[in-house]
Coordinates of all heavy atoms in Angstrom, one line a residue:
M872 N -52.6 -14.7 -2.8 CA -52.0 -13.5 -2.4 C -53.1 -12.5 -1.9 O -54.2 -12.5 -2.3 CB -51.4 -12.9 -3.8 CG -50.7 -11.6 -3.6 SD -49.0 -11.4 -3.4 CE -48.2 -12.9 -3.8
A873 N -52.7 -11.7 -1.0 CA -53.5 -10.7 -0.4 C -54.1 -9.7 -1.3 O -53.3 -9.3 -2.2 CB -52.9 -10.1 0.9
D874 N -55.2 -9.1 -1.1 CA -55.7 -8.0 -1.9 C -54.9 -6.7 -1.5 O -55.0 -6.2 -0.5 CB -57.2 -7.8 -1.6 CG -57.8 -6.6 -2.4 OD1 -57.0 -6.1 -3.3 OD2 -58.9 -6.3 -2.1
M875 N -54.0 -6.4 -2.5 CA -53.1 -5.2 -2.2 C -53.8 -3.9 -2.0 O -53.3 -2.9 -1.5 CB -52.0 -5.1 -3.3 CG -51.0 -6.3 -3.2 SD -49.6 -6.1 -4.1 CE -48.7 -4.7 -3.3
S876 N -55.0 -3.8 -2.5 CA -55.8 -2.5 -2.4 C -56.1 -2.2 -0.9 O -56.4 -1.1 -0.5 CB -57.1 -2.6 -3.2 OG -58.0 -3.5 -2.6
K877 N -56.1 -3.2 0.0 CA -56.4 -3.0 1.4 C -55.2 -2.8 2.3 O -55.2 -2.7 3.5 CB -57.3 -4.2 1.9 CG -58.6 -4.3 1.3 CD -59.4 -5.4 1.8 CE -60.7 -5.5 1.1 NZ -61.5 -6.7 1.4
L878 N -54.0 -2.9 1.6 CA -52.7 -2.8 2.4 C -52.2 -1.4 2.4 O -52.7 -0.5 1.7 CB -51.7 -3.8 1.7 CG -52.2 -5.2 1.7 CD1 -51.1 -6.0 0.8 CD2 -52.2 -5.8 3.1
K879 N -51.1 -1.2 3.2 CA -50.6 0.2 3.4 C -49.9 0.7 2.1 O -49.9 1.9 1.8 CB -49.5 0.0 4.5 CG -48.9 1.4 4.9 CD -48.0 1.1 6.1 CE -47.4 2.4 6.6 NZ -46.5 2.2 7.7
F880 N -49.3 -0.2 1.3 CA -48.6 0.2 0.0 C -49.2 -0.7 -1.0 O -49.7 -1.7 -0.9 CB -47.1 -0.2 0.2 CG -46.4 0.5 1.4 CD1 -46.1 -0.2 2.5 CD2 -46.2 1.9 1.4 CE1 -45.5 0.4 3.6 CE2 -45.6 2.4 2.4 CZ -45.2 1.8 3.6
K881 N -49.0 -0.1 -2.3 CA -49.5 -0.7 -3.5 C -48.3 -1.1 -4.3 O -47.3 -0.5 -4.3 CB -50.4 0.2 -4.3 CG -51.7 0.6 -3.5 CD -52.5 1.5 -4.4 CE -53.8 1.8 -3.6 NZ -53.8 3.0 -3.0
G882 N -48.5 -2.1 -5.1 CA -47.5 -2.5 -6.2 C -47.0 -1.4 -7.0 O -47.9 -0.6 -7.5
G883 N -45.7 -1.3 -7.2 CA -45.2 -0.1 -8.0 C -44.9 1.1 -7.2 O -44.3 2.0 -7.8
E884 N -45.3 1.3 -6.1 CA -45.0 2.5 -5.3 C -43.6 2.5 -4.9 O -43.0 1.5 -4.6 CB -46.0 2.6 -4.1 CG -47.4 3.0 -4.4 CD -48.2 3.2 -3.2 OE1 -48.1 2.5 -2.2 OE2 -49.1 4.1 -3.2
R885 N -43.0 3.7 -4.8 CA -41.6 3.8 -4.4 C -41.6 4.1 -2.9 O -42.4 4.9 -2.4 CB -41.0 5.0 -5.1 CG -40.9 4.8 -6.6 CD -39.8 3.8 -7.0 NE -39.9 3.5 -8.3 CZ -39.2 4.0 -9.4 NH1 -38.3 5.0 -9.1 NH2 -39.2 3.6 -10.6
V886 N -40.7 3.4 -2.2 CA -40.6 3.5 -0.8 C -39.1 3.6 -0.4 O -38.3 3.3 -1.2 CB -41.3 2.2 0.0 CG1 -42.7 2.2 -0.2 CG2 -40.6 1.0 -0.5
I887 N -38.8 4.1 0.8 CA -37.6 4.2 1.4 C -37.5 3.2 2.5 O -38.4 3.0 3.4 CB -37.3 5.6 2.1 CG1 -37.5 6.8 1.0 CG2 -35.9 5.6 2.7 CD1 -36.4 6.7 -0.1
V888 N -36.4 2.3 2.5 CA -36.2 1.3 3.5 C -35.5 2.0 4.7 O -34.5 2.7 4.4 CB -35.4 0.1 3.0 CG1 -35.1 -1.0 4.0 CG2 -36.2 -0.4 1.7
D889 N -35.9 1.6 5.9 CA -35.2 2.2 7.0 C -35.5 1.4 8.3 O -36.5 0.7 8.4 CB -35.6 3.7 7.3 CG -34.6 4.5 8.1 OD1 -33.4 4.0 8.2 OD2 -35.0 5.5 8.6
G890 N -34.6 1.4 9.2 CA -34.8 0.8 10.5 C -34.5 -0.7 10.5 O -34.8 -1.4 11.5
L891 N -33.8 -1.2 9.4 CA -33.5 -2.6 9.5 C -32.3 -2.9 10.4 O -31.4 -2.1 10.4 CB -33.2 -3.1 8.1 CG -34.2 -2.9 7.0 CD1 -33.8 -3.6 5.7 CD2 -35.6 -3.8 7.5
E892 N -32.3 -4.0 11.1 CA -31.2 -4.3 12.0 C -30.3 -5.4 11.3 O -29.1 -5.3 11.5 CB -31.6 -4.7 13.3 CG -32.4 -3.6 14.1 CD -33.0 -4.0 15.5 OE1 -32.6 -5.2 15.9 OE2 -33.7 -3.2 16.0
A893 N -30.9 -6.3 10.7 CA -30.1 -7.4 10.1 C -29.5 -7.0 8.8 O -28.4 -7.5 8.4 CB -31.0 -8.7 9.9
R894 N -30.1 -6.1 8.1 CA -29.6 -5.7 6.7 C -29.4 -4.1 6.8 O -30.1 -3.5 6.0 CB -30.5 -6.1 5.6 CG -30.6 -7.6 5.4 CD -29.3 -8.1 4.7 NE -28.9 -7.4 3.6 CZ -29.2 -7.6 2.3 NH1 -30.0 -8.6 2.0 NH2 -28.7 -6.9 1.3
T895 N -28.6 -3.6 7.7 CA -28.3 -2.3 7.7 C -27.8 -1.6 6.4 O -28.0 -0.4 6.2 CB -27.4 -1.8 8.8 OG1 -26.1 -2.6 8.5 CG2 -27.9 -2.3 10.2
D896 N -27.3 -2.4 5.5 CA -26.8 -1.9 4.2 C -28.0 -1.4 3.4 O -27.8 -0.6 2.4 CB -26.1 -3.0 3.5 CG -26.9 -4.3 3.2 OD1 -27.4 -4.8 4.2 OD2 -26.9 -4.7 2.1
L897 N -29.2 -1.9 3.6 CA -30.3 -1.4 2.9 C -31.1 -0.2 3.4 O -31.9 0.3 2.8 CB -31.4 -2.6 2.8 CG -30.9 -3.9 2.1 CD1 -32.0 -4.9 2.1 CD2 -30.4 -3.6 0.6
N898 N -30.7 0.2 4.6 CA -31.3 1.4 5.2 C -31.0 2.6 4.3 O -29.9 2.8 3.8 CB -30.8 1.6 6.7 CG -31.4 0.6 7.6 OD1 -32.5 0.0 7.3 ND2 -30.6 0.3 8.7
T899 N -32.1 3.4 4.1 CA -32.0 4.6 3.3 C -32.0 4.4 1.9 O -32.0 5.3 1.0 CB -30.8 5.6 3.5 OG1 -29.6 5.1 3.1 CG2 -30.7 5.9 5.1
K900 N -32.2 3.1 1.5 CA -32.2 2.8 0.0 C -33.7 3.0 -0.5 O -34.7 2.8 0.2 CB -31.8 1.3 -0.2 CG -30.4 0.9 0.2 CD -29.4 1.6 -0.7 CE -28.0 1.1 -0.4 NZ -27.0 1.7 -1.2
L901 N -33.8 3.3 -1.8 CA -35.0 3.5 -2.5 C -35.3 2.2 -3.1 O -34.5 1.5 -3.6 CB -34.8 4.5 -3.6 CG -36.1 4.9 -4.4 CD1 -37.1 5.6 -3.5 CD2 -35.7 5.9 -5.5
A902 N -36.7 1.8 -2.9 CA -37.1 0.5 -3.4 C -38.5 0.7 -4.0 O -39.2 1.7 -3.8 CB -37.2 -0.5 -2.3
E903 N -38.9 -0.3 -4.8 CA -40.3 -0.4 -5.4 C -41.0 -1.6 -4.8 O -40.5 -2.6 -4.8 CB -40.1 -0.4 -6.9 CG -41.4 -0.4 -7.6 CD -41.3 -0.3 -9.1 OE1 -40.7 0.7 -9.6 OE2 -41.8 -1.3 -9.8
V904 N -42.3 -1.3 -4.4 CA -43.1 -2.4 -3.9 C -43.5 -3.3 -5.0 O -43.9 -2.9 -6.0 CB -44.4 -1.9 -3.2 CG1 -45.2 -3.0 -2.7 CG2 -43.9 -1.0 -2.0
V905 N -43.2 -4.6 -4.8 CA -43.5 -5.6 -5.8 C -44.8 -6.4 -5.4 O -45.7 -6.5 -6.2 CB -42.3 -6.7 -5.9 CG1 -42.7 -7.8 -6.9 CG2 -41.1 -6.0 -6.3
S906 N -44.9 -6.9 -4.2 CA -46.1 -7.6 -3.8 C -46.1 -7.6 -2.2 O -45.2 -7.1 -1.5 CB -46.0 -9.0 -4.3 OG -44.9 -9.7 -3.8
Y907 N -47.1 -8.4 -1.7 CA -47.2 -8.6 -0.3 C -47.2 -10.1 0.0 O -47.9 -10.8 -0.7 CB -48.5 -7.9 0.3 CG -48.6 -8.1 1.7 CD1 -47.9 -7.5 2.7 CD2 -49.6 -9.0 2.2 CE1 -48.0 -7.6 4.1 CE2 -49.7 -9.2 3.6 CZ -49.0 -8.4 4.5 OH -49.1 -8.6 5.8
D908 N -46.4 -10.5 1.0 CA -46.3 -11.9 1.4 C -47.2 -12.1 2.7 O -46.6 -11.7 3.7 CB -44.9 -12.4 1.6 CG -44.7 -13.8 1.9 OD1 -45.8 -14.5 2.2 OD2 -43.6 -14.3 1.9
P909 N -48.4 -12.6 2.6 CA -49.2 -12.7 3.8 C -48.7 -13.7 4.8 O -48.9 -13.6 6.0 CB -50.6 -13.2 3.3 CG -50.3 -13.7 1.9 CD -49.1 -13.1 1.4
V910 N -47.8 -14.7 4.3 CA -47.3 -15.6 5.3 C -46.3 -15.0 6.2 O -46.4 -15.2 7.5 CB -46.6 -16.8 4.6 CG1 -46.0 -17.8 5.5 CG2 -47.7 -17.5 3.6
T911 N -45.4 -14.2 5.7 CA -44.5 -13.5 6.5 C -44.9 -12.2 7.0 O -44.2 -11.4 7.8 CB -43.1 -13.3 5.8 OG1 -43.3 -12.5 4.6 CG2 -42.6 -14.7 5.3
E912 N -46.1 -11.7 6.5 CA -46.6 -10.4 6.7 C -45.6 -9.2 6.4 O -45.4 -8.3 7.2 CB -47.1 -10.2 8.2 CG -48.2 -11.2 8.5 CD -48.8 -11.1 9.9 OE1 -48.1 -10.4 10.8 OE2 -49.8 -11.7 10.2
R913 N -45.0 -9.4 5.3 CA -44.0 -8.4 4.8 C -44.2 -8.1 3.4 O -44.8 -9.0 2.6 CB -42.6 -9.0 5.0 CG -42.0 -9.0 6.4 CD -40.8 -9.9 6.6 NE -40.1 -9.7 7.9 CZ -40.6 -10.3 9.0 NH1 -41.7 -10.9 9.0 NH2 -40.0 -10.1 10.1
F914 N -43.7 -6.9 2.9 CA -43.8 -6.5 1.6 C -42.5 -7.0 0.9 O -41.5 -7.0 1.4 CB -43.9 -5.0 1.5 CG -45.3 -4.5 1.7 CD1 -45.7 -4.1 3.0 CD2 -46.2 -4.4 0.7 CE1 -47.0 -3.7 3.2 CE2 -47.6 -4.0 0.9 CZ -47.9 -3.7 2.3
V915 N -42.7 -7.5 -0.4 CA -41.6 -7.8 -1.2 C -41.3 -6.5 -2.0 O -42.0 -6.0 -2.6 CB -41.9 -8.9 -2.1 CG1 -40.6 -9.2 -3.0 CG2 -42.3 -10.2 -1.4
V916 N -40.1 -6.0 -1.8 CA -39.6 -4.8 -2.4 C -38.3 -5.0 -3.3 O -37.6 -6.0 -3.0 CB -39.4 -3.6 -1.5 CG1 -40.6 -3.2 -0.7 CG2 -38.2 -3.9 -0.5
S917 N -38.2 -4.3 -4.4 CA -37.0 -4.5 -5.2 C -36.2 -3.2 -5.0 O -36.7 -2.1 -5.2 CB -37.4 -4.5 -6.7 OG -36.4 -4.5 -7.5
V918 N -35.0 -3.4 -4.5 CA -34.1 -2.3 -4.2 C -33.6 -1.7 -5.6 O -33.1 -2.5 -6.4 CB -32.8 -2.7 -3.4 CG1 -31.9 -1.5 -3.1 CG2 -33.4 -3.3 -2.1
L919 N -33.8 -0.4 -5.8 CA -33.6 0.2 -7.1 C -32.1 0.2 -7.5 O -31.8 0.0 -8.7 CB -34.2 1.6 -7.2 CG -35.7 1.6 -7.1 CD1 -36.2 3.0 -7.3 CD2 -36.4 0.7 -8.1
T920 N -31.2 0.3 -6.6 CA -29.8 0.4 -6.9 C -29.2 -1.0 -7.3 O -28.3 -1.0 -8.1 CB -29.0 1.0 -5.8 OG1 -29.1 0.2 -4.6 CG2 -29.2 2.4 -5.6
S921 N -29.8 -2.0 -6.8 CA -29.1 -3.4 -7.0 C -30.2 -4.3 -7.7 O -29.7 -5.4 -8.2 CB -28.8 -4.0 -5.7 OG -29.9 -4.3 -4.8
G922 N -31.4 -4.0 -7.6 CA -32.4 -5.1 -8.2 C -32.8 -6.2 -7.2 O -33.6 -7.0 -7.5
E923 N -32.0 -6.3 -6.1 CA -32.4 -7.3 -5.2 C -33.6 -7.2 -4.6 O -34.2 -6.1 -4.2 CB -31.3 -7.2 -4.0 CG -31.5 -8.2 -2.9 CD -30.5 -8.0 -1.7 OE1 -29.8 -6.9 -1.6 OE2 -30.4 -8.9 -0.9
R924 N -34.4 -8.3 -4.4 CA -35.7 -8.4 -3.8 C -35.6 -8.9 -2.4 O -35.0 -9.9 -2.2 CB -36.6 -9.3 -4.7 CG -37.0 -8.7 -6.0 CD -38.1 -9.5 -6.7 NE -38.4 -8.8 -7.9 CZ -39.5 -9.0 -8.6 NH1 -40.3 -10.0 -8.1 NH2 -39.8 -8.3 -9.6
V925 N -36.3 -8.2 -1.5 CA -36.2 -8.5 -0.1 C -37.6 -8.4 0.4 O -38.4 -7.6 0.0 CB -35.2 -7.6 0.7 CG1 -33.8 -8.0 0.3 CG2 -35.4 -6.2 0.6
R926 N -37.8 -9.1 1.6 CA -39.1 -9.0 2.3 C -38.8 -8.0 3.5 O -37.9 -8.2 4.2 CB -39.6 -10.3 2.8 CG -40.1 -11.2 1.7 CD -40.5 -12.6 2.2 NE -41.1 -13.4 1.1 CZ -40.4 -14.0 0.2 NH1 -39.0 -13.9 0.2 NH2 -41.0 -14.7 -0.7
V927 N -39.7 -7.0 3.6 CA -39.5 -6.0 4.6 C -40.9 -5.7 5.3 O -42.0 -5.7 4.7 CB -39.0 -4.6 4.0 CG1 -38.8 -3.6 5.1 CG2 -37.8 -4.9 3.2
K928 N -40.8 -5.6 6.7 CA -42.0 -5.3 7.5 C -42.6 -3.9 7.1 O -41.7 -3.0 6.8 CB -41.7 -5.3 8.9 CG -41.4 -6.6 9.6 CD -41.0 -6.4 11.0 CE -40.7 -7.7 11.6 NZ -40.3 -7.5 13.0
P929 N -43.9 -3.7 7.1 CA -44.4 -2.4 6.7 C -43.8 -1.3 7.6 O -43.6 -0.2 7.1 CB -45.9 -2.5 7.0 CG -46.1 -4.0 6.9 CD -44.9 -4.7 7.4
A930 N -43.5 -1.5 8.8 CA -43.0 -0.5 9.7 C -41.6 0.0 9.3 O -41.2 1.1 9.6 CB -42.8 -1.1 11.2
N931 N -40.9 -0.7 8.4 CA -39.6 -0.4 8.0 C -39.6 0.2 6.5 O -38.7 0.4 5.9 CB -38.7 -1.5 7.9 CG -38.4 -2.1 9.4 OD1 -38.9 -3.1 9.8 ND2 -37.7 -1.2 10.2
L932 N -40.8 0.6 6.1 CA -41.0 1.2 4.8 C -41.7 2.6 4.9 O -42.6 2.7 5.7 CB -41.8 0.4 3.9 CG -41.1 -1.0 3.5 CD1 -42.2 -1.9 2.7 CD2 -39.9 -0.9 2.8
T933 N -41.3 3.6 4.2 CA -41.9 4.8 4.1 C -42.2 5.3 2.7 O -41.3 5.2 1.9 CB -40.9 6.0 4.8 OG1 -40.6 5.5 6.1 CG2 -41.6 7.3 4.8
L934 N -43.4 5.6 2.4 CA -43.8 6.0 1.1 C -43.0 7.3 0.7 O -43.1 8.2 1.5 CB -45.3 6.1 1.0 CG -45.9 6.4 -0.4 CD1 -45.6 5.2 -1.3 CD2 -47.4 6.7 -0.3
T935 N -42.5 7.4 -0.5 CA -41.9 8.7 -0.9 C -43.0 9.7 -1.2 O -44.2 9.4 -1.4 CB -41.0 8.4 -2.2 OG1 -41.9 8.0 -3.3 CG2 -40.0 7.5 -1.9
D936 N -42.7 10.9 -1.2 CA -43.6 12.0 -1.4 C -44.4 11.9 -2.7 O -43.8 11.9 -3.8 CB -42.9 13.4 -1.3 CG -42.2 13.7 0.0 OD1 -42.7 13.1 1.0 OD2 -41.2 14.4 0.0
S937 N -45.7 11.8 -2.6 CA -46.7 11.9 -3.6 C -46.2 11.0 -4.8 O -46.5 11.4 -6.0 CB -46.9 13.2 -4.1 OG -45.8 13.8 -4.7
G938 N -45.6 9.8 -4.5 CA -45.2 8.9 -5.6 C -44.0 9.4 -6.4 O -43.6 8.6 -7.3
A939 N -43.5 10.6 -6.2 CA -42.3 11.0 -7.0 C -41.2 10.3 -6.6 O -41.0 10.0 -5.4 CB -42.2 12.5 -6.8
T940 N -40.2 10.0 -7.4 CA -38.9 9.5 -7.1 C -38.0 10.5 -6.6 O -37.6 11.4 -7.4 CB -38.4 8.7 -8.3 OG1 -39.4 7.8 -8.9 CG2 -37.2 7.9 -8.0
P941 N -37.5 10.4 -5.3 CA -36.6 11.4 -4.9 C -35.2 11.1 -5.4 O -34.9 10.0 -5.9 CB -36.5 11.1 -3.4 CG -36.9 9.7 -3.3 CD -37.9 9.4 -4.4
A942 N -34.4 12.1 -5.4 CA -33.0 11.9 -5.9 C -32.3 11.0 -4.9 O -32.5 11.2 -3.7 CB -32.3 13.2 -5.9
P943 N -31.5 10.0 -5.4 CA -30.9 9.1 -4.4 C -29.8 9.9 -3.7 O -29.3 10.9 -4.1 CB -30.2 8.1 -5.4 CG -30.2 8.7 -6.7 CD -31.3 9.7 -6.7
P944 N -29.4 9.4 -2.5 CA -28.3 10.1 -1.8 C -27.1 10.1 -2.6 O -26.9 9.3 -3.4 CB -28.2 9.1 -0.5 CG -29.5 8.3 -0.4 CD -30.0 8.2 -1.8
E945 N -26.2 11.1 -2.3 CA -25.0 11.3 -3.0 C -24.2 10.1 -3.3 O -23.7 9.8 -4.3 CB -24.2 12.3 -2.4 CG -23.0 12.7 -3.1 CD -23.3 13.5 -4.4 OE1 -24.3 14.2 -4.5 OE2 -22.5 13.3 -5.4
E946 N -24.1 9.2 -2.3 CA -23.3 8.0 -2.4 C -23.8 7.0 -3.5 O -23.1 6.2 -4.0 CB -23.0 7.3 -1.1 CG -24.2 6.6 -0.5 CD -25.0 7.5 0.4 OE1 -24.7 8.7 0.5 OE2 -25.9 7.0 1.0
E947 N -25.1 7.1 -3.8 CA -25.7 6.2 -4.7 C -25.6 6.8 -6.2 O -26.0 6.1 -7.1 CB -27.2 6.0 -4.4 CG -27.3 5.1 -3.1 CD -28.8 4.8 -2.8 OE1 -29.6 4.8 -3.7 OE2 -29.0 4.6 -1.6
L948 N -25.3 8.1 -6.4 CA -25.1 8.6 -7.7 C -24.0 8.1 -8.5 O -24.0 8.2 -9.7 CB -25.0 10.1 -7.5 CG -26.3 10.8 -6.9 CD1 -25.9 12.3 -6.8 CD2 -27.4 10.6 -7.8
T949 N -23.1 7.5 -7.9 CA -21.9 7.0 -8.6 C -21.9 5.5 -8.5 O -21.7 4.9 -7.4 CB -20.6 7.6 -8.0 OG1 -20.5 7.3 -6.7 CG2 -20.5 9.1 -8.3
W950 N -21.9 4.8 -9.7 CA -21.9 3.3 -9.6 C -20.5 2.8 -9.1 O -20.4 1.7 -8.6 CB -22.1 2.7 -11.0 CG -21.2 3.2 -12.1 CD1 -21.3 4.3 -12.9 CD2 -20.0 2.6 -12.4 NE1 -20.3 4.4 -13.7 CE2 -19.4 3.4 -13.4 CE3 -19.3 1.4 -11.9 CZ2 -18.2 3.1 -14.1 CZ3 -18.1 1.1 -12.6 CH2 -17.5 1.9 -13.6
W951 N -19.5 3.5 -9.3 CA -18.1 3.0 -8.9 C -17.9 3.2 -7.4 O -16.9 2.7 -6.9 CB -17.0 3.7 -9.7 CG -17.0 5.2 -9.5 CD1 -16.4 5.9 -8.5 CD2 -17.7 6.2 -10.3 NE1 -16.7 7.3 -8.6 CE2 -17.4 7.5 -9.7 CE3 -18.4 6.2 -11.5 CZ2 -17.8 8.6 -10.3 CZ3 -18.9 7.4 -12.0 CH2 -18.6 8.5 -11.4
S952 N -18.8 3.8 -6.7 CA -18.6 4.0 -5.3 C -18.5 2.6 -4.4 O -18.0 2.6 -3.3 CB -19.6 5.0 -4.7 OG -20.9 4.4 -4.8
E953 N -19.2 1.6 -5.1 CA -19.1 0.4 -4.3 C -18.0 -0.6 -4.8 O -17.9 -1.7 -4.3 CB -20.5 -0.3 -4.6 CG -21.7 0.5 -3.9 CD -23.0 -0.2 -4.0 OE1 -23.0 -1.4 -4.1 OE2 -24.0 0.5 -3.8
L954 N -17.1 -0.1 -5.7 CA -16.0 -0.9 -6.1 C -15.0 -0.9 -5.0 O -14.6 0.1 -4.4 CB -15.4 -0.5 -7.4 CG -16.3 -0.5 -8.6 CD1 -15.5 0.1 -9.8 CD2 -16.7 -2.0 -9.0
S955 N -14.3 -2.0 -4.8 CA -13.1 -2.0 -3.9 C -12.0 -1.2 -4.5 O -12.0 -0.9 -5.7 CB -12.7 -3.6 -3.6 OG -12.2 -4.0 -4.8
E956 N -11.0 -0.9 -3.8 CA -9.9 -0.2 -4.2 C -9.1 -1.0 -5.4 O -8.9 -0.4 -6.4 CB -8.8 0.1 -3.2 CG -7.7 1.0 -3.6 CD -6.8 1.3 -2.5 OE1 -7.2 1.2 -1.3 OE2 -5.6 1.8 -2.8
D957 N -8.9 -2.3 -5.2 CA -8.4 -3.0 -6.2 C -9.3 -3.1 -7.6 O -8.7 -3.0 -8.6 CB -8.2 -4.5 -5.8 CG -7.0 -4.7 -4.8 OD1 -6.2 -3.7 -4.7 OD2 -7.1 -5.6 -4.0
M958 N -10.6 -3.2 -7.4 CA -11.4 -3.2 -8.6 C -11.4 -1.9 -9.2 O -11.4 -1.9 -10.5 CB -12.8 -3.7 -8.2 CG -13.0 -5.1 -7.8 SD -14.6 -5.4 -7.1 CE -15.6 -5.3 -8.6
S959 N -11.4 -0.8 -8.5 CA -11.2 0.5 -9.1 C -10.0 0.7 -9.9 O -10.0 1.2 -11.0 CB -11.3 1.6 -8.1 OG -12.4 1.6 -7.4
Y960 N -8.9 0.2 -9.4 CA -7.5 0.2 -10.1 C -7.6 -0.6 -11.4 O -7.2 -0.1 -12.4 CB -6.5 -0.3 -9.1 CG -5.1 -0.3 -9.8 CD1 -4.4 0.8 -9.8 CD2 -4.6 -1.6 -10.2 CE1 -3.1 0.8 -10.4 CE2 -3.3 -1.6 -10.8 CZ -2.6 -0.4 -11.0 OH -1.4 -0.5 -11.6
D961 N -8.2 -1.8 -11.3 CA -8.3 -2.6 -12.5 C -9.1 -2.1 -13.4 O -8.8 -2.1 -14.7 CB -8.8 -4.0 -12.1 CG -7.8 -4.9 -11.2 OD1 -6.7 -4.5 -11.3 OD2 -8.3 -5.8 -10.6
W962 N -10.3 -1.4 -13.1 CA -11.1 -0.7 -14.0 C -10.4 0.4 -14.8 O -10.6 0.6 -15.9 CB -12.3 -0.2 -13.4 CG -13.3 0.5 -14.2 CD1 -14.3 -0.1 -15.0 CD2 -13.4 1.9 -14.4 NE1 -15.0 0.9 -15.7 CE2 -14.5 2.1 -15.3 CE3 -12.8 2.9 -13.8 CZ2 -14.8 3.4 -15.7 CZ3 -13.1 4.2 -14.3 CH2 -14.1 4.4 -15.2
L963 N -9.7 1.1 -14.0 CA -9.0 2.3 -14.6 C -7.9 1.8 -15.5 O -7.8 2.5 -16.6 CB -8.3 3.1 -13.5 CG -7.6 4.4 -13.9 CD1 -8.6 5.4 -14.5 CD2 -7.0 5.0 -12.7
I964 N -7.2 0.8 -15.3 CA -6.3 0.2 -16.2 C -6.9 -0.3 -17.4 O -6.4 -0.1 -18.6 CB -5.4 -0.9 -15.5 CG1 -4.6 -0.4 -14.3 CG2 -4.5 -1.6 -16.5 CD1 -3.6 0.7 -14.6
D965 N -8.0 -1.0 -17.3 CA -8.7 -1.5 -18.5 C -9.2 -0.3 -19.4 O -9.0 -0.4 -20.6 CB -10.0 -2.3 -18.1 CG -9.5 -3.6 -17.5 OD1 -8.4 -4.1 -17.7 OD2 -10.4 -4.3 -16.9
C966 N -9.7 0.7 -18.8 CA -10.1 1.9 -19.5 C -8.9 2.5 -20.3 O -9.0 2.9 -21.5 CB -10.7 3.0 -18.7 SG -12.3 2.5 -18.1
Y967 N -7.7 2.6 -19.6 CA -6.6 3.1 -20.3 C -6.2 2.2 -21.4 O -5.9 2.7 -22.5 CB -5.4 3.2 -19.2 CG -4.1 3.7 -19.9 CD1 -3.9 5.0 -20.1 CD2 -3.1 2.7 -20.1 CE1 -2.7 5.5 -20.8 CE2 -1.9 3.1 -20.8 CZ -1.7 4.5 -21.0 OH -0.5 4.9 -21.6
R968 N -6.2 0.9 -21.2 CA -5.8 0.1 -22.3 C -6.8 0.1 -23.5 O -6.3 0.1 -24.6 CB -5.8 -1.5 -21.8 CG -4.6 -1.7 -20.9 CD -4.7 -3.1 -20.5 NE -3.5 -3.4 -19.5 CZ -3.4 -4.2 -18.5 NH1 -4.6 -4.9 -18.2 NH2 -2.5 -4.4 -17.7
M969 N -8.1 0.3 -23.3 CA -9.0 0.4 -24.3 C -8.7 1.7 -25.1 O -8.8 1.8 -26.3 CB -10.4 0.4 -23.8 CG -10.9 -0.9 -23.4 SD -12.7 -1.1 -23.0 CE -12.7 -0.1 -21.5
R970 N -8.4 2.7 -24.4 CA -8.1 4.1 -25.0 C -6.8 4.0 -25.9 O -6.7 4.4 -27.0 CB -7.9 5.1 -23.9 CG -7.5 6.4 -24.5 CD -8.7 7.0 -25.2 NE -8.2 8.3 -25.8 CZ -8.7 9.0 -26.7 NH1 -9.9 8.6 -27.3 NH2 -8.3 10.2 -27.2
V971 N -5.8 3.3 -25.4 CA -4.6 3.1 -26.2 C -4.9 2.2 -27.4 O -4.4 2.6 -28.5 CB -3.5 2.4 -25.3 CG1 -2.3 2.0 -26.2 CG2 -3.0 3.3 -24.2
D972 N -5.8 1.2 -27.2 CA -6.1 0.4 -28.4 C -6.8 1.1 -29.5 O -6.6 0.9 -30.6 CB -6.9 -0.9 -27.9 CG -6.0 -1.9 -27.2 OD1 -4.9 -1.7 -27.3 OD2 -6.7 -2.8 -26.6
D973 N -7.7 2.0 -29.1 CA -8.4 2.9 -30.0 C -7.6 3.8 -30.7 O -7.8 4.2 -31.9 CB -9.5 3.7 -29.2 CG -10.7 2.8 -28.8 OD1 -10.8 1.7 -29.2 OD2 -11.4 3.3 -28.0
D974 N -6.6 4.3 -30.1 CA -5.6 5.2 -30.8 C -4.7 4.6 -31.8 O -4.0 5.2 -32.5 CB -4.8 6.0 -29.7 CG -5.6 7.0 -28.9 OD1 -6.7 7.3 -29.4 OD2 -5.2 7.4 -27.8
M975 N -4.6 3.2 -31.7 CA -3.6 2.5 -32.6 C -4.3 2.3 -34.0 O -5.2 2.3 -34.3 CB -3.1 1.3 -32.1 CG -2.4 1.4 -30.8 SD -1.8 -0.2 -30.2 CE -0.2 0.3 -29.6

């Protein structure tokens, strides 16, 4: 493994992913640097919202301000925003059923 002290980012640093063409769903996501892969010349980062690990070119990563974790974009503040309409409906029905069961 490459000496991460000589690289643009260090393990544990928070970065913003941007400019991806194949995985546009990851653009603007907050991630944490895990390691560097010298074979692919990419950083392995863990996307904070999903835990998914992906390899990203250094040019597609931006270090967050002074290591502070920025507030995620509004759409990432709600976990249910990624549920389909059917899943949202099922979840709501399940919550109602649990509430009714608790009242009995």
